[in-house]
Amino acid sequence: MILHHTRAIAAAAILVGSMLTAGLSQAADLVVKHKQGETTLAATPKTVLVFDLASLDTLAALNIPVAGVPGGVKPAYLKQYDDDKYVKVGTLFEPDYEAVNAAEPDLIIVAGRSAAKYAELAKIAPTIDLTVGPENFVDETKDNIRTLSRVFDKAADGDALVSKLESSIADVSALAATKGKGLLVLTTGGKMSAFGPGSRFGMLYSVYGVKPAAETKHVGNHGQAISFEYILENDPDWLFVIDRDAAIGRESQSAAAYLDNEVVRKTKAWRDGHVVYLDPSIWYLVGGGASAIQKTVDQLKSALSAT
């Protein structure tokens, strides 16, 4: 009778223990909402593969280690990921599925250029899509910072990055409101396009507060093809320039040399020394990363504050 009672107690203890363990396991599951649905993570990921430079930027800002990154050109502040200790898992557009499988990842992050490969990568390991669109550029970037900081149990660090960004953006937006009108152009291969509000680089106006000098048209990511005369006709107080060739490492005439001609030299922006060469890697390659946006805001504030 006593033996039977003892066994019953032991069995009950095992059952309760199993229930507690199951409960803890379930509590550890984290559902991550992203651009292509929801992904459940059973534990904090240890082996992380990243196909997006903005996400890599944010992970670096949060001091979160990664195992694999895309090959190709990266901005100077992310050059450490060119080291051979990081598995090269493909390009920004195309995964190397053999390398991805061999890495046995716990989490794969795609966005933007790599978002189209989400379904295939999700068959290999839990995958999230952290694409940021120009319409809600900063809000979605802040959401991604919070998402990644939550996944890796660094919520306080993520909140600190977001708080600093919000304060800095408010400062530069207030400053830009008093500085006249601006025009953003991208140069590449001896050609030039302008980008206005609502375009791929429309955050210059909608987020950072620069008043547009022209009503530019845009189709997709390509902007409106323009001439030097277009710049003079709209005569901006500030000319913001992205040198695409410099961003992708292509040998060509620099944007500064390309724009140094008798037509552009007649503009107010040129005469006043208000031509700002934006960091091309950040604007063209990285986009919505925590450090990228902070660097952009800092550069704009410095430029607009200069007398």
Side-chain angles (χ1 to χ4, degrees):
M1 188 75 173
I2 294 175
L3 179 61
H4 177 74
H5 182 65
T6 302
R7 286 176 176 171
I9 292 174
I14 291 171
L15 178 61
V16 171
S18 298
M19 293 174 65
L20 286 172
T21 301
L24 288 172
S25 176
Q26 187 174 8
D29 288 354
L30 178 65
V31 178
V32 181
K33 295 182 179 180
H34 55 87
K35 276 295 175 73
Q36 297 198 49
E38 295 182 351
T39 297
T40 300
L41 302 176
T44 302
K46 300 298 183 184
T47 303
V48 182
L49 306 185
V50 188
F51 283 91
D52 170 55
L53 292 183
S55 299
L56 184 61
D57 167 301
T58 297
L59 290 169
L62 290 167
N63 293 312
I64 295 168
V66 302
V69 300
V73 179
K74 299 177 184 65
Y77 71 98
L78 295 178
K79 282 292 185 184
Q80 69 267 29
Y81 295 106
D82 286 337
D83 193 286
D84 289 341
K85 70 179 181 180
Y86 299 101
V87 177
K88 302 308 179 288
V89 292
T91 69
L92 291 172
F93 295 90
E94 189 65 38
D96 178 340
Y97 290 104
E98 185 176 346
V100 171
N101 273 291
E104 299 182 348
D106 301 312
L107 176 65
I108 301 172
I109 302 173
V110 299
R113 299 170 176 91
S114 56
K117 307 301 180 182
Y118 169 82
E120 287 301 310
L121 290 168
K123 295 175 183 177
I124 300 172
T127 303
I128 59 176
D129 177 3
L130 299 184
T131 296
V132 170
E135 301 85 3
N136 297 298
F137 178 72
V138 170
D139 285 342
E140 290 183 357
T141 295
K142 290 190 294 186
D143 286 343
N144 287 347
I145 294 170
R146 293 189 180 104
T147 293
L148 290 174
S149 64
R150 188 165 58 101
V151 166
F152 294 95
D153 197 24
K154 291 200 170 189
D157 294 334
D159 288 343
L161 289 175
V162 169
S163 179
K164 183 179 179 182
L165 276 177
E166 290 175 337
S167 176
S168 299
I169 290 171
D171 288 345
V172 81
S173 182
L175 181 62
T178 67
K179 297 294 181 177
K181 297 181 178 180
L183 177 68
L184 188 152
V185 302
L186 178 145
T187 66
T188 183
K191 299 178 181 179
M192 181 168 49
S193 299
F195 292 81
S199 71
R200 175 182 183 179
F201 303 118
M203 66 286 298
L204 178 73
Y205 313 99
S206 62
V207 176
Y208 304 133
V210 174
K211 297 175 182 176
E215 293 185 7
T216 55
K217 301 174 183 178
H218 62 278
V219 178
N221 289 330
H222 302 295
Q224 176 182 339
I226 62 168
S227 63
F228 300 128
E229 286 73 20
Y230 177 91
I231 299 176
L232 181 57
E233 287 167 9
N234 289 283
D235 202 16
D237 299 291
W238 294 84
L239 183 61
F240 299 93
V241 184
I242 300 171
D243 186 335
R244 178 181 179 273
D245 293 339
I248 63 175
R250 175 190 289 170
E251 291 288 337
S252 69
Q253 184 183 37
S254 70
Y258 176 68
L259 291 169
D260 189 358
N261 59 69
E262 62 181 14
V263 177
V264 178
R265 284 196 294 265
K266 293 177 182 177
T267 63
K268 286 186 290 186
W270 190 281
R271 294 197 312 269
D272 294 341
H274 290 171
V275 181
V276 182
Y277 296 93
L278 299 169
D279 187 312
S281 294
I282 285 176
W283 280 78
Y284 189 76
L285 290 178
V286 181
S291 295
I293 293 184
Q294 190 62 57
K295 289 175 185 292
T296 291
V297 174
D298 292 345
Q299 183 189 10
L300 290 173
K301 185 174 182 179
S302 177
L304 294 170
S305 298
T307 57

